[in-house]
């Protein structure tokens, strides 16, 4: 896909996978509207930071969860109206709304019940990852408690057509050029140190993107 002159190829490389994902999550899986309260889990990670900034740009209010105060400060700087521990998420959502219009959950097993409970009636749980493991089988009747919607999307189905890939990429690159999203490259490593990058990811020591430079 073409990279505009306004951004670097490193920015494009750092943003493209999660950036395209963030685009379809906020425009298709649940189209964010102005005034929506949205719960974003793991908000200081690369995916969470993109979601927080994009939801805020679209006029939504983000309640963010993160595991440490340092990470919660990152979420606040990205625009979250509340940044709290996972245990305080329900109270924070209820402080600012009657429930979340949507929950963007890339954590999975450990947060699934919390995510459902945080929704307002007819809210949408967008389960796009499983960092803590797969969600166990559950009774769909649980969704009847609030006429909730549950979706488990994946990127391939949202860029299957060439024109759709180009349209999403153009919007993403425009957001980067305009400063709507900040692609935070926290570290660049040579190819022969790729094992260090994996160790940092597995140890949850990252707050942005790592680039491997050939």
């Amino acid at each position: 896909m073409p990279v505009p002159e306004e951004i670097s190829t490193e920015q494009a490389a750092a943003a493209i996978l999660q950036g395209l994902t963030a685009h379809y999550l906020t425009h298709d899986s649940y189209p964010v509207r102005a005034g929506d309260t949205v719960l974003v889990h793991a908000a200081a990670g690369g995916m969470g930071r993109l979601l927080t900034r994009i939801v805020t740009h679209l006029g939504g209010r983000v309640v963010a969860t993160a595991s440490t105060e340092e990470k919660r400060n990152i979420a606040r700087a990205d625009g979250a109206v509340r940044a709290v521990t996972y245990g305080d998420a329900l109270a924070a959502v209820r402080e600012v709304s009657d429930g979340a219009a949507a929950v963007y959950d890339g954590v999975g097993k450990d947060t699934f019940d919390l995510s459902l409970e945080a929704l307002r009636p007819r809210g949408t749980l967008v389960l796009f990852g499983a960092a803590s493991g797969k969600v166990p089988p559950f009774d769909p009747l649980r969704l009847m408690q609030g006429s909730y919607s549950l979706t488990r999307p994946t990127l391939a189905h949202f860029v299957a057509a060439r024109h759709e890939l180009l349209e999403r990429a153009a919007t993403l690159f425009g957001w980067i050029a305009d400063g709507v999203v900040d692609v935070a490259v926290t570290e660049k490593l040579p190819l022969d140190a790729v094992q260090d990058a994996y160790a940092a990811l597995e140890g949850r020591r990252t707050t942005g993107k790592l680039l491997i430079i050939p």
Side-chain angles (χ1 to χ4, degrees):
M1 63 201 71
V3 177
E5 293 182 359
E6 293 82 4
I7 71 171
S8 69
T9 53
E10 287 190 356
Q11 287 177 301
I16 194 64
L17 178 62
Q18 290 185 336
L20 292 179
T21 300
H23 185 280
Y24 84 73
L25 291 177
T26 55
H27 288 69
D28 297 89
S29 299
Y30 177 79
V32 175
R33 292 178 282 270
D36 283 343
T37 295
V38 175
L39 177 59
V40 176
H41 288 310
M47 192 71 228
R49 296 195 68 183
L50 286 169
L51 286 170
T52 298
R53 285 179 171 250
I54 293 169
V55 170
T56 300
H57 174 67
L58 296 173
R61 298 176 296 181
V62 172
V63 175
T65 58
S67 58
T68 67
E69 185 61 21
E70 178 185 5
K71 291 185 176 183
R72 291 190 286 273
N73 284 334
I74 291 171
R76 295 181 187 107
D78 284 332
V81 298
R82 296 284 191 280
V84 296
T85 66
Y86 291 89
D88 291 334
L90 284 179
V93 168
R94 290 165 182 165
E95 283 175 8
V96 300
S97 69
D98 60 355
V103 179
Y104 292 115
D105 188 343
V107 178
K109 181 179 69 173
D110 290 352
T111 52
F112 183 76
D113 291 339
L114 164 63
S115 296
L116 277 181
E117 193 173 352
L119 290 172
R120 72 184 184 192
R122 296 169 59 183
T124 299
L125 171 50
V126 183
L127 184 67
F128 65 91
S132 66
K134 295 179 181 179
V135 175
F138 74 100
D139 185 349
L141 285 177
R142 290 182 61 189
L143 302 177
M144 191 174 68
Q145 295 173 1
S147 296
Y148 304 134
S149 296
L150 170 65
T151 182
R152 180 53 175 97
T154 190
L155 176 61
H157 298 135
F158 292 86
V159 293
R162 177 69 176 164
H163 72 87
E164 192 171 22
L165 171 65
L166 294 178
E167 289 167 5
R168 293 191 195 280
T171 300
L172 171 63
F173 293 154
W175 284 337
I176 296 171
D178 294 340
V180 173
V181 297
D182 177 21
V183 184
V185 177
T186 54
E187 192 171 359
K188 300 177 186 180
L189 298 172
L191 186 59
D192 60 5
V194 68
Q195 70 274 10
D196 296 332
Y198 279 107
L201 291 170
E202 291 169 356
R204 300 179 66 187
R205 299 194 300 272
T206 63
T207 56
K209 304 297 291 184
L210 303 181
L211 283 185
I212 305 300
I213 307 298

